[in-house]
């Protein structure tokens, strides 16, 4: 089965045009500067239900009780808690954008920007996003919304692809200069396969691979699609997602430069599932199934390099180099030209549907 998974994975990564496997923009968040007068207009727009005049629907943001254990949603909730109010704004039957405004307490005395907008572009039809942002333009809650939007700081950008027919443990990825690998659920939970694999530190830009089916089951997210095989069981679908957080990396990405965001696979390498032949025992194979191949390889390699000493940054570096050298023969060619081109197209589409020609 290793060669079967190798063929499926290699085809989707090396010849994505055959699969129509273009990058998906799964999430975007940005912050906007606003004067006191603009904030007063924003408050009145929502509090006095002026949005009804523009065909919008607004409701308070309610915490989803199914999400508290997931770090992604904890982080999002912490960010929204910096603001006095967050509301969900929709146009007819569209997905929501989350509009946060007014900084709480001491946050108001910092360099934090007082308005934040976040949404999942993949859940919108082009017309819906245009209509929604057109209404915000027409409401004149900003002195010059287009100028403010152009100057917005991107705080998070998630760019993803879906890999079909390959279970999560068979998606093996590594990255230059990254020694941290983590996984979910943790070992104490009784599951057969790892469900999420993290490449890099989660508090900064990183890559995550996760089972879409498990996300549907665990979170009850009706908008997440799945495929059912002839035997009635779900196909494996793994989402590979680059989570880009410019400010945590010490950089700035303006909304007007959105299409020039870093390439989702920059510095990333896919490896063939045939690499499982490197594992010598059943326990090592089970460990890779349960923790992810690379996380398991890090543990094995560190034990070989330094069985009795405490782990250190130097040991992390040596382990990473050893694994990289050992895995080189299993590298899969990424069609960089295709993915770059279609990432840029997807990002320009968002700009087109929000930076309207008004």
């Amino acid at each position: 089965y290793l060669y079967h998974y190798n063929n499926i994975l290699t085809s989707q990564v090396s010849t994505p045009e055959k699969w129509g496997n273009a990058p998906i923009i799964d999430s975007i968040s940005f912050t906007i500067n606003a004067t006191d007068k603009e904030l007063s207009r924003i408050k009145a727009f929502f509090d006095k239900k002026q949005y009804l005049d523009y065909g919008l629907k607004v409701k308070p943001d309610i915490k989803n009780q199914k999400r508290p254990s997931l770090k992604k949603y904890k982080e999002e909730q912490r960010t929204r808690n910096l603001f006095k109010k967050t509301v969900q704004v929709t146009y007819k039957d569209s997905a929501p954008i989350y509009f946060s405004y007014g900084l709480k307490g001491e946050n108001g005395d910092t360099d934090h920007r007082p308005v934040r907008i976040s949404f999942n572009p993949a859940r919108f039809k082009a017309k819906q996003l245009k209509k929604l942002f057109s209404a915000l333009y027409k409401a004149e809650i900003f002195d010059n919304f287009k100028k403010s939007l152009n100057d917005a700081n991107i705080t998070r950008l998630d760019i993803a692809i879906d890999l079909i027919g390959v279970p999560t443990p068979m998606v093996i990825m590594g990255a230059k200069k990254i020694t941290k690998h983590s996984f979910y659920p943790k070992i104490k939970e009784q599951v057969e396969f790892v469900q999420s694999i993290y490449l890099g530190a989660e508090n900064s830009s990183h890559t995550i691979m996760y089972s879409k089916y498990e996300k549907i089951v665990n979170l009850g997210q009706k908008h997440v699609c799945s495929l059912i095989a002839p035997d009635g069981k779900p196909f494996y679908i793994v989402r590979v997602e680059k989570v880009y957080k410019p400010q945590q990396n010490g950089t700035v990405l303006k909304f007007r430069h959105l299409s020039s965001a870093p390439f989702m696979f920059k510095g990333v390498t896919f490896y063939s599932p045939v690499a499982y032949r490197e594992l010598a025992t059943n326990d090592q194979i089970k460990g890779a199934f349960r923790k992810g191949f690379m996380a398991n390889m890090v543990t094995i390699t560190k034990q070989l390099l330094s069985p009795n000493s405490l782990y250190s940054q130097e040991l992390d570096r040596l382990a990473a180099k050893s694994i990289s050298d050992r895995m080189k023969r299993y590298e899969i060619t990424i069609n960089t030209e295709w993915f770059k081109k279609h990432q840029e197209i997807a990002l320009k589409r968002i700009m087109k549907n929000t930076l309207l020609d008004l």
Side-chain angles (χ1 to χ4, degrees), residues 88-275:
Q88 297 183 29
V89 185
T90 58
Y91 173 79
K92 292 187 177 179
D93 59 346
S94 76
I97 68 167
Y98 295 87
F99 197 111
S100 305
Y101 59 94
L103 292 166
K104 289 180 182 177
E106 61 184 20
N107 297 310
D109 298 324
T110 69
D111 292 331
H112 286 292
R113 292 182 163 203
V115 175
R116 178 179 184 265
I117 294 176
S118 63
F119 59 97
N120 181 344
R123 295 183 61 190
F124 284 87
K125 296 177 181 177
K127 184 178 180 181
Q128 292 173 330
L129 201 55
K130 284 181 180 178
K131 288 286 187 180
L132 205 160
F133 273 82
S134 178
L136 294 176
Y137 276 97
K138 292 175 182 176
E140 296 183 347
I141 50 180
F142 289 89
D143 293 338
N144 186 333
F145 188 37
K146 189 166 188 176
K147 182 179 179 180
S148 296
L149 199 54
N150 265 306
D151 187 57
N153 286 339
I154 304 297
T155 55
R156 177 166 176 150
L157 179 65
D158 295 3
I159 309 173
I161 63 167
D162 289 334
L163 300 173
I164 300 170
V166 185
T168 312
M170 293 293 151
V171 181
I172 306 172
M173 296 180 70
K176 295 177 181 177
K177 299 181 181 180
I178 289 181
T179 59
K180 184 174 179 58
H181 301 80
S182 55
F183 57 92
Y184 176 86
K186 297 305 179 185
I187 290 297
K188 64 181 180 179
E189 298 188 43
Q190 298 300 312
V191 295
E192 183 181 7
F193 285 166
V194 62
Q195 296 171 11
S196 301
I197 301 170
Y198 297 85
L199 182 59
E202 296 167 52
N203 60 354
S204 61
S205 297
H206 62 275
T207 298
I208 177 174
M209 296 148 274
Y210 62 84
S211 164
K212 290 193 71 175
Y213 179 71
E214 293 298 335
K215 186 173 183 179
I216 295 171
V217 172
N218 292 338
L219 298 182
Q221 294 190 333
K222 297 179 181 179
H223 67 274
V224 179
C225 298
S226 62
L227 294 174
I228 304 299
D231 61 2
K233 296 180 180 180
F235 273 114
Y236 293 120
I237 302 179
V238 174
R239 172 152 289 188
V240 178
E241 190 167 280
K242 175 66 177 184
V243 179
Y244 179 52
K245 301 178 180 180
Q247 293 179 328
Q248 271 80 359
N249 292 2
T251 58
V252 175
L253 177 64
K254 295 291 185 181
F255 196 91
R256 62 179 176 270
H257 299 141
L258 179 61
S259 63
S260 63
F263 177 44
M264 66 179 298
F265 294 138
K266 182 180 179 181
V268 168
T269 304
F270 280 90
Y271 297 104
S272 167
V274 176

